[in-house]
Amino acid sequence: MNLNHINLVVKEVDQAVHLFTHCLGFRLIVNRSSKMAVLENDHNFALVIWGQVLNKKEEVPEYPENFHIGFYQPDEEAV
């Protein structure tokens, strides 16, 4: 079984897209008016960046205390 995608809710979609494309090697598939974006990496893993504005809430969503995402890298230098 492989993980297909993760949906992250963020305050600033464009800043998150920049982080994942420029620093973590993702490719932007679609950016919908800076409210929602879909990215993909070389392993066919999709990342959905969902702007908190789509939740119709002002506050930044709270994730569980130890929430994180891990990505395998070939070696320590790649990290």
Side-chain angles (χ1 to χ4, degrees):
M1 177 179 356
N2 291 328
L3 183 62
N4 177 265
H5 71 276
I6 288 181
N7 183 27
L8 295 178
V9 180
V10 299
K11 185 173 182 178
E12 298 290 337
V13 171
D14 292 334
Q15 289 179 6
V17 167
H18 179 80
L19 170 72
F20 282 96
T21 57
H22 288 87
C23 300
L24 298 172
F26 279 76
R27 291 177 304 283
L28 179 64
I29 296 171
V30 64
N31 185 337
R32 299 215 168 132
S33 303
S34 299
K35 294 180 181 177
M36 189 270 285
V38 179
L39 300 95
E40 185 178 58
N41 69 7
D42 291 337
H43 305 286
N44 295 321
F45 174 77
L47 181 60
V48 179
I49 305 293
W50 185 267
Q52 74 181 35
V53 68
L54 295 175
N55 288 348
K56 304 200 184 340
K57 295 182 179 180
E58 293 296 319
E59 67 275 2
V60 176
E62 292 185 26
Y63 286 99
E65 184 176 336
N66 292 311
F67 178 83
H68 68 279
I69 300 173
F71 296 98
Y72 283 107
Q73 295 296 319
D75 54 41
E76 190 173 323
E77 183 65 29
V79 175

